[in-house]
Amino acid sequence: MRTISKKLNHEEIEAFGKEVDALREEVMAKVGKEDADHIRSIYKIYRYTEILGRGLIHFSFEPISFVAGSLILGASKIINNMELGHNVLHGQYDWMNDPRFNSRTFEWDIVSDSHQWKFYHNYMHHTYTNVLNKDHDYGYNFTRLTEAQKWKPVHLTQPFTNMFLAMNFQWGVGAHGYRVEYMEIPKKQRKKKSLKDYKAVFFKKIELQLVKDYLFFPLLAGLNFPKIILGNLIANLIRNLWTYAVIFCGHFTENAESFSVDDITGETKAQWYLRQLKGSSNLDGSNFFYTMTGHLSHQIEHHMFPDMPAKRYREVAPRLKEICAKYGQHYNTGRFVKQFASVWKRIVAYSFPDSIAGKLMGNKKKYLEPTGLLSQPSFQISLPNEEKSATLI
Amino acid sequence: MKTFPFIYNEPRQFLSSLQGKQWADFLLGEINPRFSVTTIKAKVVAVREETADAKTIVLKPNWLWKGFRSGQHVPVTLEIAGRRVTRYYSLSSLPKDKYLSITVKRQKGGLVSNFINTNIKKGDVLELGDPTGHFTLPKTLPSKFLFLAGGSGITPIHSILKQLAANQFKGKATLLYFVRSFEDIILHSSLEEIAKSTGWLEIKYIFSDVPKEGYDSGFLSKEILQKYTEDLKSYSVYVCGPAPMQTKALSLLEGIDVKSELFLLPGQTSSKVKKTGTVDVFLSLSHKTIQVKGERSLLEELEDQGIYPQSGCRMGICHTCVCKKAVGSVTDLSNGEVSELGEENIQICVSRAESNLELEL
Ligand code: FES
């Protein structure tokens, strides 16, 4: 993967890391009542929109209020999953010591089980961001997004499979979780549970979600049940499309880089910061837009500080941008339409073999070029077990 | 694990996943912040100044409050800078009173006691837990009581005295109240009132810091005990005060029936934590106690001993390793901050044991 950022030497990288650390510390020191109030009001909005959405779907007589209800329920699910769920599950609000906002007790309105999700997202994805074969979110195991992934004819279908994924994103995320969790457990500790047990956890969550949306609420409506089922389908579809779009924009735009397992052996915290920067991309927009993305519009900041209350990314962003400029590092950001187009360009381009893909992407160099992260480590990410090799299915 | 159909095999768990309670709590809370189906919430109906640095907070709890016995204490949870913190306070009111009350004295460096004294006002809502403690009166009352109170340790004793008065106690009671100075006497008028109206109570104030004419000064000692009691063995003794007084009392009163309650000073305790080489870590879910050195992160030290808690990034970003610490103090390796001793969630991959710990693992 080519990089458009300046290559830094070891000292420069460490200095960069120091500045980022200082920024983090300064902002984290401010975390307090304001953040607690914010998440509480988000919680309120989520609850009220769910009442309103379900109420409208339930009691609507004509299409307009029905569609409005479905849209509002969709928005409610988006808030529940993103600004509330995603951020709470990251432990951003654990310090509040409030069970409603605690990563250990929170459960969200999506088929992915929160515990499994925390494992493969918080740990695998955020530690090994964009590291091929280690970050299972990278292309979700079926999308080819870089020359470092070998082309196979099946990749020709990826524009279509991605459209399918976009519409069913929650299923993709959920189905992903249990496999990753199982495969990443060191063999010695695996004995007690089989893959089936992990699958069972996921299936349980699926059942809960299906029964809630497509049985419980429809039954409440008696003979009107088809209307309720349709409303829930629309709401879930909206949420799926939106989360897919936001997450793909955050990781797979044209200039978001990928890495190999070798790149990160002995990586220091500063190098880790740099990798987070290079592997993520931001979206510009209004404050309302930011909130609706769960502040994943600030994917760069989120990847550097995953446990910082997400609204704080707004104040971090301009200052991080300055630091990046100072070190000649590309800060990947743009409007939603531009970034989303860029993602799709990449999905389409890499569905073809490298010769065509290269042309479509406008790459001069064809093969992976080390991104210059590596030098003598001072602090090591310690891997919890000896089986560092990625086990993918 | 039984799963499909889950709704049939585990209907209760299924129902709870619909979050009925959370919904009810949310909607009730929108109507009145005191309403809840899960938590005892109480509204502050009055704040009374007792001394320059102690206040009595009068509370009106919701329907989940089941009452208490005089001398018990209650966990009080309130929010400081967005964070919920819990402390135990003795109830200073009578069980049959319409409202309940706690009396809180400012402690030097005490986060919560100072917050309550400065910020709590009429209309605020606090969370309470169930009252606990055995510092209460027996079913059949003895004829003679000796009460030893130190500082804020007067609050449960005050409640017991009021209870005795309400029960038309016919015997005799002596209260020795050790306090820094005359101005520091908490619940002064109420105590005098009990003494005057009942006639069976004798109160002696003993000042440790600022002596006063006509009063004793100093700390708890054999002489003081002898001066105000005859035949110690015939008393039923209640002691409530800070640790040094407690220890002293227990040694002076050996062989006598004593009920005692330690009064912990919040801010003070954390400074007492000293590293002593190895510390004990009690793992409450696996009922195991292990020793760790407190040199590296708890996660690593546990793993050294073959215990593998959940972990992920091992650098403090993913919160996979978060675990509840019930007791003890840890140092946050990322910023060197020493935690408080109470209950809280910690990331064990960036926490080093500072004192004996109890972890929910
Ligand atoms: S293991 Fe990731 S925060 Fe402790």
Side-chain angles (χ1 to χ4, degrees):
Chain A
M1 171 117 278
R2 65 195 188 127
T3 173
I4 56 175
S5 295
K6 183 178 157 213
K7 265 191 201 161
L8 303 177
N9 64 28
H10 180 64
E11 282 70 42
E12 286 170 326
I13 293 176
E14 293 306 312
F16 171 80
K18 277 232 174 67
E19 293 200 33
V20 175
D21 263 336
L23 177 58
R24 175 194 163 91
E25 225 140 84
E26 189 194 315
V27 176
M28 286 304 262
K30 284 192 251 172
V31 169
K33 178 148 194 311
E34 205 185 308
D35 305 82
D37 287 343
H38 169 71
I39 201 67
R40 274 188 293 242
S41 63
I42 293 294
Y43 182 79
K44 253 190 203 181
I45 296 171
Y46 146 62
R47 290 283 186 207
Y48 277 126
T49 46
E50 181 160 359
I51 296 175
L52 188 63
R54 292 204 185 274
L56 279 173
I57 294 176
H58 204 100
F59 297 109
S60 58
F61 295 106
E62 25 68 49
I64 297 177
S65 51
F66 169 75
V67 170
S70 308
L71 290 178
I72 292 171
L73 182 58
S76 175
K77 281 176 183 263
I78 287 172
I79 293 168
N80 170 288
N81 290 174
M82 304 189 92
E83 184 65 12
L84 189 61
H86 170 265
N87 293 340
V88 165
L89 289 177
H90 261 293
Q92 292 176 1
Y93 299 95
D94 278 2
W95 56 271
M96 282 173 68
N97 199 17
D98 185 329
R100 287 175 302 170
F101 308 114
N102 193 292
S103 61
R104 278 157 46 102
T105 44
F106 188 87
E107 188 60 63
W108 52 359
D109 185 1
I110 187 171
V111 293
S112 173
D113 177 74
S114 67
H115 285 92
Q116 293 188 335
W117 182 84
K118 271 195 294 187
F119 178 84
Y120 94 83
H121 178 88
N122 286 8
Y123 166 35
M124 294 306 294
H125 169 62
H126 275 275
T127 312
Y128 303 106
T129 318
N130 285 17
V131 175
L132 296 177
N133 292 339
K134 203 63 188 162
D135 176 3
H136 303 265
D137 279 6
Y138 199 76
Y140 289 86
N141 290 346
F142 70 88
T143 311
R144 192 175 94 105
L145 295 157
T146 159
E147 297 90 340
Q149 290 165 300
K150 208 169 162 292
W151 182 83
K152 293 189 211 113
V154 66
H155 287 132
L156 283 171
T157 62
Q158 74 182 23
F160 307 101
T161 46
N162 264 280
M163 278 182 222
F164 185 76
L165 175 67
M167 286 189 278
N168 299 285
F169 196 55
Q170 63 161 340
W171 299 93
V173 171
H176 207 55
Y178 79 88
R179 279 192 299 167
V180 176
E181 187 175 13
Y182 176 70
M183 299 316 288
E184 286 292 336
I185 288 187
K187 286 234 171 59
K188 269 178 263 148
Q189 293 166 46
R190 250 188 228 170
K191 270 182 249 143
K192 274 187 243 145
K193 284 182 169 182
S194 66
L195 182 58
K196 238 177 96 193
D197 295 320
Y198 288 91
K199 202 193 241 161
V201 174
F202 172 48
F203 277 22
K204 195 163 154 179
K205 187 70 198 291
I206 295 181
E207 194 193 321
L208 289 178
Q209 286 298 106
L210 290 182
V211 169
K212 175 168 73 68
D213 282 354
Y214 301 114
L215 200 66
F216 179 77
F217 286 112
L219 277 182
L220 288 184
L223 280 178
N224 270 333
F225 71 91
K227 186 176 76 167
I228 315 295
I229 293 179
L230 183 64
N232 276 285
L233 263 175
I234 298 175
N236 281 321
L237 179 70
I238 295 170
R239 184 266 318 274
N240 288 344
L241 289 171
W242 180 243
T243 42
Y244 171 91
V246 170
I247 284 156
F248 271 59
C249 283
H251 300 94
F252 310 128
T253 53
E254 275 168 88
N255 291 315
E257 300 174 23
S258 65
F259 308 89
S260 71
V261 176
D262 288 341
D263 283 341
I264 64 156
T265 341
E267 188 182 53
T268 67
K269 184 86 188 261
Q271 291 169 332
W272 180 82
Y273 276 139
L274 200 57
R275 176 157 57 85
Q276 301 305 321
L277 169 68
K278 293 177 172 210
S280 325
S281 42
N282 277 13
L283 296 167
D284 298 332
S286 64
N287 284 345
F288 174 72
F289 172 80
Y290 292 156
T291 305
M292 288 311 280
T293 65
H295 289 88
L296 292 180
S297 49
H298 293 70
Q299 198 67 242
I300 297 176
E301 288 73 20
H302 176 57
H303 267 277
M304 287 192 167
F305 316 123
D307 59 351
M308 176 185 287
K311 199 181 165 201
R312 296 269 169 194
Y313 298 155
R314 293 186 198 170
E315 65 183 89
V316 171
R319 302 186 45 197
L320 188 62
K321 222 171 176 169
E322 271 171 36
I323 299 179
C324 291
K326 182 169 156 197
Y327 288 86
Q329 298 302 299
H330 177 60
Y331 183 97
N332 189 341
T333 185
R335 306 286 302 184
F336 176 70
V337 177
K338 177 192 147 224
Q339 297 287 64
F340 199 50
S342 162
V343 168
W344 275 89
K345 179 176 162 198
R346 203 165 157 185
I347 291 174
V348 171
Y350 283 106
S351 67
F352 298 108
D354 283 349
S355 51
I356 308 176
K359 259 186 224 137
L360 285 175
M361 294 296 291
N363 285 1
K364 298 264 149 41
K365 290 192 207 107
K366 228 171 92 182
Y367 293 105
L368 179 83
E369 178 187 293
T371 41
L373 278 178
L374 226 41
S375 39
Q376 319 85 326
S378 59
F379 163 93
Q380 298 218 342
I381 294 191
S382 58
L383 291 167
N385 53 70
E386 286 317 302
E387 301 168 65
K388 293 188 187 174
S389 62
T391 6
L392 264 175
I393 22 176
Chain B
M1 187 168 84
K2 277 189 259 162
T3 50
F4 194 76
F6 183 56
I7 186 172
Y8 175 78
N9 284 320
E10 294 168 62
R12 275 171 155 242
Q13 220 187 333
F14 177 81
L15 279 179
S16 78
S17 78
L18 288 177
Q19 303 198 345
K21 279 190 180 157
Q22 283 101 312
W23 272 108
D25 257 8
F26 171 73
L27 293 171
L28 289 171
E30 289 294 286
I31 298 166
N32 183 329
R34 200 166 52 84
F35 294 172
S36 167
V37 292
T38 58
T39 326
I40 305 170
K41 294 193 180 168
K43 190 162 134 196
V44 178
V45 289
V47 178
R48 271 203 312 268
E49 201 136 328
E50 295 292 347
T51 65
D53 59 359
K55 276 182 183 161
T56 292
I57 313 290
V58 185
L59 296 163
K60 179 185 181 189
N62 66 15
W63 51 74
L64 294 174
W65 177 254
K66 294 271 153 43
F68 70 104
R69 292 165 61 198
S70 289
Q72 288 193 309
H73 46 233
V74 63
V76 178
T77 303
L78 41 92
E79 193 185 307
I80 301 178
R83 188 181 143 76
R84 286 170 75 249
V85 286
T86 305
R87 291 288 187 277
Y88 280 87
Y89 291 106
S90 292
L91 289 147
S92 52
S93 52
L94 266 186
K96 68 166 181 38
D97 288 349
K98 186 163 169 218
Y99 298 134
L100 47 108
S101 63
I102 53 171
T103 302
V104 183
K105 182 176 173 347
R106 275 181 198 275
Q107 307 293 345
K108 222 169 129 205
L111 175 73
V112 181
S113 63
N114 279 301
F115 182 87
I116 290 180
N117 272 280
T118 327
N119 296 305
I120 292 294
K121 55 187 185 315
K122 204 176 150 184
D124 286 353
V125 173
L126 310 178
E127 277 176 41
L128 303 179
D130 288 323
T132 49
H134 301 292
F135 194 71
T136 51
L137 286 172
K139 278 221 179 68
T140 45
L141 297 179
S143 58
K144 267 160 88 185
F145 280 104
L146 171 62
F147 296 103
L148 302 176
S152 319
I154 190 66
T155 47
I157 289 177
H158 171 253
S159 174
I160 290 177
L161 290 173
K162 279 176 84 171
Q163 184 68 56
L164 283 174
N167 291 2
Q168 319 249 305
F169 176 60
K170 290 277 163 359
K172 203 171 138 0
T174 309
L175 165 63
L176 303 185
Y177 184 2
F178 297 85
V179 61
R180 283 180 42 224
S181 71
F182 186 81
E183 285 69 36
D184 283 304
I185 297 173
I186 307 174
L187 299 163
H188 196 172
S189 55
S190 179
L191 288 170
E192 290 301 327
E193 168 86 40
I194 300 172
K196 236 205 280 151
S197 63
T198 63
W200 46 255
L201 177 63
E202 184 189 16
I203 306 176
K204 292 292 162 199
Y205 303 105
I206 300 134
F207 304 123
S208 60
D209 282 19
V210 191
K212 194 175 162 84
E213 274 264 13
Y215 292 91
D216 288 285
S217 50
F219 295 97
L220 176 62
S221 65
K222 206 167 167 191
E223 293 69 48
I224 294 256
L225 276 185
Q226 276 167 353
K227 188 167 168 188
Y228 294 109
T229 60
E230 56 222 39
D231 186 17
L232 261 177
K233 287 212 163 53
S234 61
Y235 288 87
S236 182
V237 188
Y238 283 70
V239 185
C240 184
M245 170 185 168
Q246 186 99 352
T247 333
K248 182 83 198 188
L250 291 181
S251 76
L252 286 174
L253 297 167
E254 236 183 86
I256 299 171
D257 165 37
V258 179
K259 278 208 184 189
S260 74
E261 176 141 286
L262 186 61
F263 188 82
L264 273 182
L265 302 180
Q268 233 179 33
T269 41
S270 58
S271 61
K272 278 211 201 98
V273 175
K274 269 242 178 61
K275 273 212 50 220
T276 49
T278 61
V279 298
D280 287 342
V281 180
F282 176 62
L283 309 174
S284 60
L285 293 184
S286 37
H287 296 281
K288 234 193 240 165
T289 304
I290 56 157
Q291 272 88 35
V292 301
K293 293 223 184 67
E295 287 167 354
R296 290 176 300 140
S297 78
L298 268 169
L299 178 62
E300 288 170 301
E301 293 193 314
L302 288 171
E303 285 177 346
D304 284 349
Q305 313 217 14
I307 297 164
Y308 294 92
Q310 277 208 26
S311 68
C313 67
R314 307 170 75 85
M315 55 198 277
I317 59 158
C318 74
H319 290 242
T320 305
C321 66
V322 171
C323 142
K324 189 186 219 166
K325 160 180 79 77
V327 199
S329 161
V330 294
T331 302
D332 185 336
L333 291 168
S334 64
N335 56 17
E337 254 171 45
V338 181
S339 78
E340 292 192 45
L341 281 167
E343 189 180 298
E344 62 185 338
N345 286 321
I346 58 168
Q347 291 165 278
I348 56 175
C349 72
V350 286
S351 299
R352 188 167 57 76
E354 201 64 54
S355 70
N356 287 354
L357 296 175
E358 181 179 331
L359 299 178
E360 201 174 84
L361 271 177

mmCIF file of all heavy atoms in Angstrom, chain B residues 279-292 302 305 307 356-359 361:
data_model
loop_
_atom_site.group_PDB
_atom_site.id
_atom_site.type_symbol
_atom_site.label_atom_id
_atom_site.label_comp_id
_atom_site.label_asym_id
_atom_site.label_seq_id
_atom_site.Cartn_x
_atom_site.Cartn_y
_atom_site.Cartn_z
ATOM 1 N N VAL B 279 0.885 -8.530 48.619
ATOM 2 C CA VAL B 279 -0.457 -8.260 49.126
ATOM 3 C C VAL B 279 -1.364 -9.419 48.755
ATOM 4 O O VAL B 279 -1.084 -10.172 47.822
ATOM 5 C CB VAL B 279 -1.034 -6.951 48.537
ATOM 6 C CG1 VAL B 279 -0.201 -5.774 48.936
ATOM 7 C CG2 VAL B 279 -1.161 -7.041 47.036
ATOM 8 N N ASP B 280 -2.446 -9.557 49.493
ATOM 9 C CA ASP B 280 -3.411 -10.614 49.206
ATOM 10 C C ASP B 280 -4.467 -10.106 48.250
ATOM 11 O O ASP B 280 -4.989 -9.021 48.430
ATOM 12 C CB ASP B 280 -4.120 -11.056 50.494
ATOM 13 C CG ASP B 280 -3.206 -11.863 51.384
ATOM 14 O OD1 ASP B 280 -2.179 -12.355 50.857
ATOM 15 O OD2 ASP B 280 -3.503 -11.988 52.585
ATOM 16 N N VAL B 281 -4.771 -10.922 47.247
ATOM 17 C CA VAL B 281 -5.872 -10.578 46.355
ATOM 18 C C VAL B 281 -6.915 -11.678 46.484
ATOM 19 O O VAL B 281 -6.637 -12.839 46.222
ATOM 20 C CB VAL B 281 -5.410 -10.488 44.889
ATOM 21 C CG1 VAL B 281 -6.590 -10.128 43.992
ATOM 22 C CG2 VAL B 281 -4.318 -9.447 44.757
ATOM 23 N N PHE B 282 -8.101 -11.287 46.935
ATOM 24 C CA PHE B 282 -9.182 -12.258 47.055
ATOM 25 C C PHE B 282 -10.034 -12.185 45.802
ATOM 26 O O PHE B 282 -10.524 -11.126 45.431
ATOM 27 C CB PHE B 282 -10.011 -11.973 48.302
ATOM 28 C CG PHE B 282 -11.196 -12.889 48.423
ATOM 29 C CD1 PHE B 282 -11.019 -14.262 48.551
ATOM 30 C CD2 PHE B 282 -12.486 -12.382 48.398
ATOM 31 C CE1 PHE B 282 -12.106 -15.115 48.647
ATOM 32 C CE2 PHE B 282 -13.588 -13.226 48.497
ATOM 33 C CZ PHE B 282 -13.393 -14.601 48.626
ATOM 34 N N LEU B 283 -10.181 -13.317 45.111
ATOM 35 C CA LEU B 283 -10.999 -13.358 43.903
ATOM 36 C C LEU B 283 -12.364 -13.899 44.293
ATOM 37 O O LEU B 283 -12.519 -15.083 44.587
ATOM 38 C CB LEU B 283 -10.339 -14.248 42.848
ATOM 39 C CG LEU B 283 -8.867 -13.908 42.575
ATOM 40 C CD1 LEU B 283 -8.245 -14.920 41.631
ATOM 41 C CD2 LEU B 283 -8.733 -12.506 41.999
ATOM 42 N N SER B 284 -13.348 -13.012 44.325
ATOM 43 C CA SER B 284 -14.603 -13.382 44.978
ATOM 44 C C SER B 284 -15.433 -14.383 44.189
ATOM 45 O O SER B 284 -16.165 -15.160 44.768
ATOM 46 C CB SER B 284 -15.425 -12.136 45.285
ATOM 47 O OG SER B 284 -15.729 -11.447 44.100
ATOM 48 N N LEU B 285 -15.321 -14.397 42.865
ATOM 49 C CA LEU B 285 -16.137 -15.342 42.108
ATOM 50 C C LEU B 285 -15.554 -16.745 42.142
ATOM 51 O O LEU B 285 -16.271 -17.730 42.094
ATOM 52 C CB LEU B 285 -16.302 -14.884 40.654
ATOM 53 C CG LEU B 285 -17.115 -13.616 40.458
ATOM 54 C CD1 LEU B 285 -17.282 -13.311 38.984
ATOM 55 C CD2 LEU B 285 -18.475 -13.727 41.124
ATOM 56 N N SER B 286 -14.223 -16.834 42.213
ATOM 57 C CA SER B 286 -13.617 -18.164 42.249
ATOM 58 C C SER B 286 -13.214 -18.567 43.663
ATOM 59 O O SER B 286 -12.644 -19.634 43.857
ATOM 60 C CB SER B 286 -12.422 -18.225 41.293
ATOM 61 O OG SER B 286 -11.720 -17.023 41.294
ATOM 62 N N HIS B 287 -13.515 -17.715 44.644
ATOM 63 C CA HIS B 287 -13.222 -18.012 46.042
ATOM 64 C C HIS B 287 -11.782 -18.441 46.244
ATOM 65 O O HIS B 287 -11.502 -19.523 46.737
ATOM 66 C CB HIS B 287 -14.158 -19.102 46.571
ATOM 67 C CG HIS B 287 -15.571 -18.671 46.574
ATOM 68 N ND1 HIS B 287 -16.091 -17.855 47.549
ATOM 69 C CD2 HIS B 287 -16.566 -18.877 45.690
ATOM 70 C CE1 HIS B 287 -17.350 -17.605 47.264
ATOM 71 N NE2 HIS B 287 -17.663 -18.196 46.138
ATOM 72 N N LYS B 288 -10.904 -17.609 45.821
ATOM 73 C CA LYS B 288 -9.495 -17.946 45.881
ATOM 74 C C LYS B 288 -8.749 -16.732 46.414
ATOM 75 O O LYS B 288 -9.103 -15.601 46.073
ATOM 76 C CB LYS B 288 -9.002 -18.218 44.460
ATOM 77 C CG LYS B 288 -8.326 -19.548 44.290
ATOM 78 C CD LYS B 288 -7.625 -19.572 42.963
ATOM 79 C CE LYS B 288 -8.157 -20.696 42.078
ATOM 80 N NZ LYS B 288 -7.748 -20.527 40.696
ATOM 81 N N THR B 289 -7.766 -16.972 47.218
ATOM 82 C CA THR B 289 -6.910 -15.861 47.614
ATOM 83 C C THR B 289 -5.509 -16.135 47.105
ATOM 84 O O THR B 289 -4.997 -17.249 47.272
ATOM 85 C CB THR B 289 -6.870 -15.694 49.143
ATOM 86 O OG1 THR B 289 -8.193 -15.543 49.607
ATOM 87 C CG2 THR B 289 -6.060 -14.476 49.521
ATOM 88 N N ILE B 290 -4.924 -15.136 46.452
ATOM 89 C CA ILE B 290 -3.562 -15.338 45.976
ATOM 90 C C ILE B 290 -2.700 -14.158 46.420
ATOM 91 O O ILE B 290 -3.226 -13.106 46.769
ATOM 92 C CB ILE B 290 -3.501 -15.452 44.435
ATOM 93 C CG1 ILE B 290 -4.127 -14.212 43.808
ATOM 94 C CG2 ILE B 290 -4.199 -16.686 43.936
ATOM 95 C CD1 ILE B 290 -3.635 -13.982 42.429
ATOM 96 N N GLN B 291 -1.402 -14.381 46.422
ATOM 97 C CA GLN B 291 -0.495 -13.293 46.768
ATOM 98 C C GLN B 291 0.137 -12.716 45.503
ATOM 99 O O GLN B 291 0.542 -13.471 44.629
ATOM 100 C CB GLN B 291 0.633 -13.792 47.683
ATOM 101 C CG GLN B 291 0.299 -13.747 49.160
ATOM 102 C CD GLN B 291 -0.383 -15.024 49.596
ATOM 103 O OE1 GLN B 291 -0.057 -16.088 49.097
ATOM 104 N NE2 GLN B 291 -1.336 -14.920 50.512
ATOM 105 N N VAL B 292 0.181 -11.405 45.429
ATOM 106 C CA VAL B 292 0.912 -10.785 44.321
ATOM 107 C C VAL B 292 1.900 -9.774 44.894
ATOM 108 O O VAL B 292 1.751 -9.312 46.025
ATOM 109 C CB VAL B 292 -0.028 -10.085 43.313
ATOM 110 C CG1 VAL B 292 -1.030 -11.060 42.731
ATOM 111 C CG2 VAL B 292 -0.724 -8.917 43.964
ATOM 112 N N LEU B 302 -1.503 -11.869 37.787
ATOM 113 C CA LEU B 302 -2.465 -12.971 37.869
ATOM 114 C C LEU B 302 -2.098 -14.070 36.881
ATOM 115 O O LEU B 302 -2.133 -15.255 37.203
ATOM 116 C CB LEU B 302 -3.882 -12.469 37.585
ATOM 117 C CG LEU B 302 -4.532 -11.613 38.671
ATOM 118 C CD1 LEU B 302 -5.831 -11.016 38.174
ATOM 119 C CD2 LEU B 302 -4.778 -12.434 39.925
ATOM 120 N N GLN B 305 0.387 -16.537 37.784
ATOM 121 C CA GLN B 305 -0.057 -17.593 38.691
ATOM 122 C C GLN B 305 -1.061 -18.507 38.027
ATOM 123 O O GLN B 305 -1.770 -19.242 38.698
ATOM 124 C CB GLN B 305 -0.686 -16.962 39.923
ATOM 125 C CG GLN B 305 0.173 -15.854 40.471
ATOM 126 C CD GLN B 305 0.158 -15.806 41.979
ATOM 127 O OE1 GLN B 305 -0.279 -16.739 42.638
ATOM 128 N NE2 GLN B 305 0.652 -14.728 42.529
ATOM 129 N N ILE B 307 -3.758 -17.666 36.340
ATOM 130 C CA ILE B 307 -5.138 -17.206 36.280
ATOM 131 C C ILE B 307 -5.268 -16.262 35.090
ATOM 132 O O ILE B 307 -4.512 -15.298 34.983
ATOM 133 C CB ILE B 307 -5.511 -16.479 37.587
ATOM 134 C CG1 ILE B 307 -5.413 -17.462 38.734
ATOM 135 C CG2 ILE B 307 -6.912 -15.889 37.498
ATOM 136 C CD1 ILE B 307 -5.368 -16.815 40.074
ATOM 137 N N ASN B 356 -4.195 -4.823 50.014
ATOM 138 C CA ASN B 356 -4.977 -6.041 49.830
ATOM 139 C C ASN B 356 -6.215 -5.713 49.016
ATOM 140 O O ASN B 356 -6.815 -4.658 49.193
ATOM 141 C CB ASN B 356 -5.401 -6.607 51.184
ATOM 142 C CG ASN B 356 -4.228 -7.230 51.907
ATOM 143 O OD1 ASN B 356 -3.139 -7.339 51.348
ATOM 144 N ND2 ASN B 356 -4.442 -7.621 53.141
ATOM 145 N N LEU B 357 -6.599 -6.653 48.152
ATOM 146 C CA LEU B 357 -7.693 -6.356 47.231
ATOM 147 C C LEU B 357 -8.749 -7.443 47.251
ATOM 148 O O LEU B 357 -8.461 -8.591 47.578
ATOM 149 C CB LEU B 357 -7.158 -6.287 45.789
ATOM 150 C CG LEU B 357 -6.177 -5.208 45.422
ATOM 151 C CD1 LEU B 357 -5.707 -5.440 43.999
ATOM 152 C CD2 LEU B 357 -6.821 -3.845 45.549
ATOM 153 N N GLU B 358 -9.944 -7.036 46.901
ATOM 154 C CA GLU B 358 -10.961 -8.030 46.581
ATOM 155 C C GLU B 358 -11.471 -7.712 45.187
ATOM 156 O O GLU B 358 -11.965 -6.619 44.925
ATOM 157 C CB GLU B 358 -12.100 -7.980 47.599
ATOM 158 C CG GLU B 358 -13.154 -9.030 47.285
ATOM 159 C CD GLU B 358 -14.305 -9.045 48.288
ATOM 160 O OE1 GLU B 358 -14.080 -8.693 49.464
ATOM 161 O OE2 GLU B 358 -15.418 -9.386 47.869
ATOM 162 N N LEU B 359 -11.320 -8.695 44.279
ATOM 163 C CA LEU B 359 -11.730 -8.482 42.894
ATOM 164 C C LEU B 359 -12.860 -9.432 42.541
ATOM 165 O O LEU B 359 -12.891 -10.569 43.016
ATOM 166 C CB LEU B 359 -10.562 -8.738 41.933
ATOM 167 C CG LEU B 359 -9.334 -7.869 42.074
ATOM 168 C CD1 LEU B 359 -8.284 -8.322 41.075
ATOM 169 C CD2 LEU B 359 -9.675 -6.410 41.847
ATOM 170 N N LEU B 361 -13.664 -11.702 40.312
ATOM 171 C CA LEU B 361 -13.109 -12.518 39.222
ATOM 172 C C LEU B 361 -13.361 -13.990 39.512
ATOM 173 O O LEU B 361 -13.343 -14.390 40.652
ATOM 174 C CB LEU B 361 -11.613 -12.294 39.102
ATOM 175 C CG LEU B 361 -11.145 -11.162 38.196
ATOM 176 C CD1 LEU B 361 -9.642 -11.043 38.271
ATOM 177 C CD2 LEU B 361 -11.585 -11.364 36.752
#
